Each structure stands twice: as structure tokens, then as C-alpha cells.
Amino acid sequence: MTTAGDIMHRGAQWIPAHETLDRAAQLMRELNVGALPISDENERLCGILTDRDIVVGCVAMGHDPAQITAGEMAQGTPRWIESEADVGEVLQEMKGHQIRRLPVIENKRLVGMISEADLAQHLTDDQLAGWVESVYSTSMTR
């Protein structure tokens, strides 16, 4: 059985909710990623911040990224998966919530992230095609 822990990208890092968006952008550049999980003061997942969130939700609105925090950008209920979860559960979580990145948790700690690139490397062609159709077909019609 292939698990979330088998396909995730290890070494994911939090951005604390109190950090500013300019710091988040710097960390994204340093890590070469397009998204960061946001943690509260207890290192619990409270959201995910994407590079697009920074550009569209802050910069394009005329706000200063040095004045807006990652926590202020956190919206909705964050989704995550346990590292022991089967790949089928990973796909169901991502399909069901139409998300493209999924934090992986082990013993209540962030241990990795699963992205589209990780899926492309580890899924069969049929699994990947089904996931792409379910995530992109509906989101493209909005």
C-alpha cells in the first residue's frame, strides 16, 4: 500500500500566522515552493498561503505585504492528511475539496506536503487522469 508519507515532499515548513506576507514570499523563494502551511501559536495548521494569495489578495488590492500577516490571509478550514493514509484517501481528500496541495501530518506535526508534482511522479496514468479531471473540470467552469 502506497501512503501519503511515501509520495509527499519532505521538509515542508510552516509560516507562523504572525509573520508578514513579505517574509512569506522570501521563504517561498528560499524553499522554491508556491505554498506554505500557516501555523498558529501552538504549531497547529490554521491555513495555507499561496504565492497567488499574496499577489491577488494583497498586492493587487493595493495593500503592503509588509503590513499584512499570513494569518490574516488564512481562509476557510485547512485540509490535511495523516502520513499513514492510503493514496486513495489522499486523492479523495484533494478531489473532494478541489485542492492542489495537501499538508501531511504525523504525530500532530507537519512532515511534508503533497502537490500536483508529487502526484504526477507517483500515480498511475489512470489515477492521475481521474484526479486532474475532478479537480480542474469543475474549477475551470467557475
Side-chain angles (χ1 to χ4, degrees), residues 33-132:
V33 298
L36 293 169
I38 304 169
S39 69
D40 65 15
E41 62 278 352
N42 298 314
E43 290 195 358
R44 298 198 56 145
L45 182 67
C46 64
I48 294 183
L49 179 68
T50 67
D51 47 7
R52 186 177 194 282
D53 293 333
I54 295 170
V55 172
V56 174
C58 178
V59 176
M61 300 295 287
H63 301 295
D64 180 358
Q67 300 298 315
I68 306 292
T69 66
E72 291 175 270
M73 296 297 290
Q75 298 177 11
T77 303
R79 308 306 306 178
W80 54 272
I81 196 132
E82 289 282 345
S83 63
E84 300 88 26
D86 180 78
V87 165
E89 293 175 67
V90 170
L91 293 176
Q92 192 60 35
E93 184 72 16
M94 293 175 85
K95 286 178 188 178
H97 298 282
Q98 292 191 323
I99 54 177
R100 297 177 179 105
R101 297 171 180 95
L102 187 62
V104 181
I105 305 294
E106 189 173 286
N107 299 321
K108 299 184 180 182
R109 296 284 179 216
L110 178 70
V111 293
M113 287 279 278
I114 297 174
S115 68
E116 295 168 306
D118 299 313
L119 294 178
Q121 290 177 354
H122 294 94
L123 298 181
T124 66
D125 289 344
D126 288 341
Q127 287 175 313
L128 188 59
W131 180 81
V132 167

